[in-house]
Amino acid sequence: MRMIRHIIVVAVLLALLAGIPALATGYPQRLASGADAISSATVVLDQPSGAYVVLINRDRHKNNENLKVWEEFFSGKEISFLFEDISCVTADTDPAGLELARSFQSRLPENQMALRTENITLMLSKLDYGYFDVILMSREIYEAYLPDDMKGRSHVLVVRSEGL
């Protein structure tokens, strides 16, 4: 009888030890819902109106086919599935650019495009030294901060886009 009680107590303690952290992360709920890492977003956000500029770092995308697919994607075309993740940065003072970035993010599989905002001075410094993957901004911000139109920055592919 003592042995059975001991086994039950140990089993309950192990279940609590493993169960509480698992429940706190939400992993069992995601597992039960059937969502996976490659499913597309549930709601695709409409592309906002306006003119936008997307800067893609050529050095981070050595595969020319993948670079061409990203260029088409940021031009507003539909693309097939691509096994490459990207990191997109927008200026914290550019709400239109952030809205467009969220629209693009919603068109990709979950977690394929990481999105963050940064101070524009820091973002432009990273642009000069190639420490970025994709930078997205409204044309107004682009023309205000980069009037030289990317002269001398051969590592940058510039994609101009018109919203709906």
Side-chain angles (χ1 to χ4, degrees), residues 28-154:
Q29 292 85 354
R30 285 193 307 268
L31 188 61
S33 71
D36 60 14
I38 59 170
S39 63
S40 56
T42 54
V43 177
V44 175
L45 303 175
D46 290 333
Q47 186 173 352
S49 61
Y52 301 92
V53 178
V54 181
L55 309 173
I56 303 173
N57 189 344
R58 292 177 196 267
D59 295 339
R60 299 256 174 121
H61 301 276
K62 296 290 187 184
N63 184 333
N64 285 334
E65 292 175 21
N66 289 352
L67 182 63
K68 184 71 175 164
V69 171
W70 285 123
E71 182 180 6
E72 290 175 1
F73 174 73
F74 286 115
S75 296
K77 299 176 184 169
E78 291 295 322
I79 62 167
S80 60
F81 188 74
L82 181 63
F83 288 103
E84 184 178 60
D85 294 343
I86 59 170
S87 175
C88 181
V89 179
T90 63
D92 56 3
T93 57
D94 188 9
L98 180 59
E99 184 179 356
L100 181 69
R102 286 186 177 142
S103 172
F104 281 130
Q105 186 181 38
S106 73
R107 293 175 41 208
L108 291 170
E110 186 176 345
N111 300 324
Q112 187 171 6
M113 181 172 137
L115 176 61
R116 70 180 192 283
T117 60
E118 285 186 356
N119 176 282
I120 192 152
T121 305
L122 178 62
M123 184 179 78
L124 295 176
S125 175
K126 289 180 179 182
L127 171 68
D128 289 336
Y129 292 99
Y131 298 142
F132 73 99
D133 194 5
V134 173
I135 294 176
L136 195 147
M137 59 182 75
S138 63
R139 183 156 306 154
E140 294 83 14
I141 295 291
Y142 176 78
E143 290 173 353
Y145 287 92
L146 295 167
D148 63 349
D149 202 27
M150 306 307 292
K151 291 180 182 138
R153 295 181 174 118
S154 61

Side-chain angles (χ1 to χ4, degrees), residues 19-29:
I20 291 174
L23 289 174
T25 62
Y27 180 74
Q29 292 85 354

